[in-house]
Amino acid sequence: MDKILNYINGEFVAGKQNKFLDNINPATGQVYSLIPDSDASDVEAAVKAAELAFPAWSKLTAEERANYLNLIAAKIIENLDALAKAESIDNGKPFNLAQTVDIPRSAKNFNFFADAISALHGESFRTNKDVINYTDYSALGVVACISPWNLPLYLLTWKIAPALVAGNTVVAKPSEVTPMTAYLLAKICAEVGLPKGVLNIIHGLGPSVGSPLVSHKKVKAITFTGSTQTGKSIAQATAGQFKKLALEMGGKNANIIFADCDFEKTLETTLRSTFSNQGQICLCGSRLFIEKSIYEKFKTALVEKTKQLKQGDPLKSDTDQGALVSELHMNKVLQCINHAKAEGGTILCGGNRKGNTGYFVEPTLIEGVAWDSKTNQEEIFGPVATLIPFTTEEELLQMVNSTTYGLACSIWTNNIHKAQRVAHLVETGVVWINTWMLRDLRTPFGGVKESGYGREGGLEALKFFSEVKNICIQTFNETRS
Ligand code: NAD
C-alpha cells in the first residue's frame, strides 16, 4: 500500500513517531494509502528547515523565485492526468472536474503569482522639497499554509505560490482527509530542484499538526482555509502573538433569482453552482431565493435537471456527481437533510444515501423550510439546497443577510440597476451578477462576517506575505523633526 510521506528539508520522511493514518477512497470506502500521523516534533523539524532556508531564498531576486514557480506549474501541467486521477480518488470528485478545473487552476496559481510579483509596488511621497517617504516590502520569514479537503491542490497552491514568490519559506499542512495531491506536489518540487527547506509539507491531524504549527513562535503569518469553527480556534490560539492572519472560512451562499433573469442561463448555472463537486465548494449556492412569480416554473425545471445528474464512479468520464469526501461528512449531510424534514421541509428530489458502497448522497432540493431555521442558517456543505420564494427586495435582503456567514452570492436579472443595487446591499465578500465562479486572480478574494478575515488573491496576497516598512529620507543637510 502507498505510504505518503512528509516533505521536510527536501527529504521524504515518515513522522518521527512512525505512526500512520488510513487514507480512504470515498467512492469505495476502502483504505488505499497511509499518511503520516505527525505531531509537534515533526512541525518543529519543518519550521527549523524553513528557518534555515529563509536567508538564501529571500535573497534571490523575485525573478529567480518566479522562475521556480513557473517550473512547478509546467510540471503540474505535464502530470495533469495523474494529478487529476489522484485527486478524484482521494476526494471523490469527478475526474473531469479535477482535470478541467482543479489541477489546471493549481498550475495557474503558480504562473499567476510568478507574474504578479513584478507588479508589487510601494508608494512614494515627496513630503517636502527635501524629504521623501516610501514604502518598502520584504519577506516575513517562515509562514504557515493550512488547507481544507474540498479543493485540495487548488487551495494549497493558492497559498503556497504567493508566500514563496514574496520570499518566504513555508510549512504547509494539507487536509488529512485528502493528502495525496500535496504529496505529489512535494515530489514535483523536489524534481524541479526547489532549494531544500523552502517548502515543507507536514501531514496529519489538525490538533496534532495544525495546532502546534499555528502557535509556533517562529511562524510569522498563517493563511488558513477551512471551517469557521477551526478559524475561530486559530484566532484564539494565536491571540496576543500578533501574527498576520488570513482566514477563509465557511459560507451559506445565496443564489438570487429575479423573474426578469435569462431563464435558461440561470437554470444551467444554478444547477452547476449548487451541485458542483457535490456542493462541496465553499462558493456553492445552498439557499436559492426565487422571485415568487417564477417560483413554480423555476422549481419544476430545476428539479427535472437535478434528477438527470449522473451519479457514480468519479473516474468515469460521464459522471456529474461523485462521492462525498468521507463517511463522517456523508453522515453529517444526511443528518442535515433529516433535520430539514423535521423543520417542515418537503424533499423535492434526492434526500437519501445512494447505494451502500462509498459515500454517495443524492443531489437534494428542499422547499418549505423557514428562512431563519437552522437548515437555512448553518452550513451543510453537501449536495443540498433549499428553495425560498421572495416578493420584495426588502424581504429578500433581510433573508439573504440573516446568516452569520458572508462569503459569496450570485444575482440573476437583466436589470443592471437592480443587480448593482442588490449587489451593494448583500453582506458578502464576493458577488457575481449573471455568472458564478468566474475569477480574475488579480482581484482580492474573501468573505465578510464569519466567512473571512483578511483577503487573499492578487497584490493583497503578496502584501499579506510581506513586511511593510516606511522609509523616510532627508535629502539635504537641514534637519527636520
Ligand atoms: P477544517 O476546518 O476541518 O480543516 C481545515 C484544515 O485545518 C485542515 O487541514 C485541518 O487539519 C486543519 N485544522 C483542524 N484543526 C486545526 C487546528 N486546531 N489548528 C490548525 N489547523 C487545524 O475544514 P474542512 O472540513 O477541511 O473544510 C471544509 C470547510 O472549509 C467548510 O466550512 C468550507 O466552507 C470551508 N472552505 C472555505 C473556503 C473559503 O474560501 N472561504 C474555501 C474552501 C473551503
Side-chain angles (χ1 to χ4, degrees), residues 154-166:
Y154 173 142
L155 289 175
L156 188 69
T157 54
W158 177 236
K159 296 172 179 303
I160 289 174
L164 289 183
V165 83

Side-chain angles (χ1 to χ4, degrees), residues 106-427:
S106 305
K108 194 172 175 193
N109 286 339
F110 284 106
N111 289 140
F112 171 78
F113 283 108
D115 276 353
I117 191 70
S118 65
L120 181 65
H121 59 279
E123 289 172 314
S124 152
F125 302 95
R126 181 168 286 280
T127 310
N128 286 313
K129 68 177 171 36
D130 53 353
V131 176
I132 298 170
N133 269 278
Y134 67 94
T135 43
D136 180 51
Y137 293 107
S138 55
L140 296 168
V142 180
V143 302
C145 299
I146 303 179
S147 54
W149 49 257
N150 63 326
L151 308 167
L153 193 63
Y154 173 142
L155 289 175
L156 188 69
T157 54
W158 177 236
K159 296 172 179 303
I160 289 174
L164 289 183
V165 83
N168 304 283
T169 52
V170 170
V171 178
K173 192 236 165 282
S175 169
E176 62 276 23
V177 188
T178 54
M180 187 55 93
T181 47
Y183 176 52
L184 299 177
L185 175 70
K187 287 189 168 181
I188 285 175
C189 291
E191 253 181 81
V192 304
L194 187 72
K196 62 182 192 176
V198 165
L199 171 65
N200 305 273
I201 301 182
I202 307 288
H203 295 278
L205 301 172
S208 38
V209 175
S211 202
L213 177 59
V214 297
S215 303
H216 199 292
K217 281 202 179 73
K218 299 280 180 188
V219 169
K220 298 283 176 36
I222 300 156
T223 168
F224 162 85
T225 300
S227 63
T228 298
Q229 194 189 351
T230 307
K232 281 183 186 176
S233 79
I234 292 175
Q236 278 158 5
T238 57
Q241 293 188 350
F242 307 113
K243 295 171 192 282
K244 283 185 141 185
L245 281 188
L247 307 172
E248 292 302 336
M249 301 174 282
K252 188 75 181 173
N253 308 317
N255 292 13
I256 299 173
I257 299 160
F258 285 102
D260 58 0
C261 67
D262 178 327
F263 192 90
E264 287 307 320
K265 190 172 178 232
T266 307
L267 184 63
E268 281 301 327
T269 314
T270 302
L271 187 76
R272 197 163 60 83
S273 69
T274 306
F275 295 117
S276 280
N277 199 28
Q278 299 74 251
Q280 303 167 123
I281 298 179
C282 54
L283 304 168
C284 278
S286 55
R287 294 178 299 155
L288 315 182
F289 293 95
I290 306 161
E291 195 164 356
K292 217 166 196 164
S293 57
I294 61 158
Y295 182 85
E296 287 301 324
K297 183 179 168 201
F298 195 86
K299 173 178 100 177
T300 307
L302 186 64
V303 167
E304 194 51 41
K305 289 249 176 225
T306 303
K307 284 181 178 166
Q308 286 164 16
L309 288 172
K310 195 155 190 300
Q311 196 170 17
D313 182 353
L315 291 173
K316 283 198 174 157
S317 61
D318 60 345
T319 294
D320 300 309
Q321 292 282 289
L324 297 202
V325 76
S326 67
E327 187 173 17
L328 189 73
H329 191 55
M330 174 188 73
N331 288 336
K332 179 210 149 177
V333 170
L334 291 170
Q335 227 172 45
C336 290
I337 295 172
N338 280 335
H339 191 80
K341 287 192 229 167
E343 287 187 317
T346 302
I347 307 292
L348 299 171
C349 59
N352 301 300
R353 179 176 182 183
K354 185 163 169 130
N356 294 319
T357 308
Y359 313 132
F360 295 85
V361 173
E362 295 166 340
T364 301
L365 293 171
I366 305 172
E367 72 173 351
V369 191
W371 60 271
D372 56 354
S373 61
K374 184 174 170 201
T375 300
N376 279 321
Q377 294 292 312
E378 293 186 7
E379 186 180 46
I380 298 174
F381 212 53
V384 181
T386 55
L387 278 61
I388 307 165
F390 71 91
T391 325
T392 64
E393 268 177 52
E394 196 186 4
E395 173 199 23
L396 168 76
L397 285 164
Q398 183 194 12
M399 296 192 287
V400 168
N401 291 337
S402 64
T403 75
T404 53
Y405 295 109
L407 186 52
C409 143
S410 65
I411 300 171
W412 294 87
T413 170
N414 279 325
N415 180 338
I416 195 64
H417 308 294
K418 183 164 61 183
Q420 285 186 301
R421 188 168 62 235
V422 173
H424 184 71
L425 292 171
V426 290
E427 295 168 354

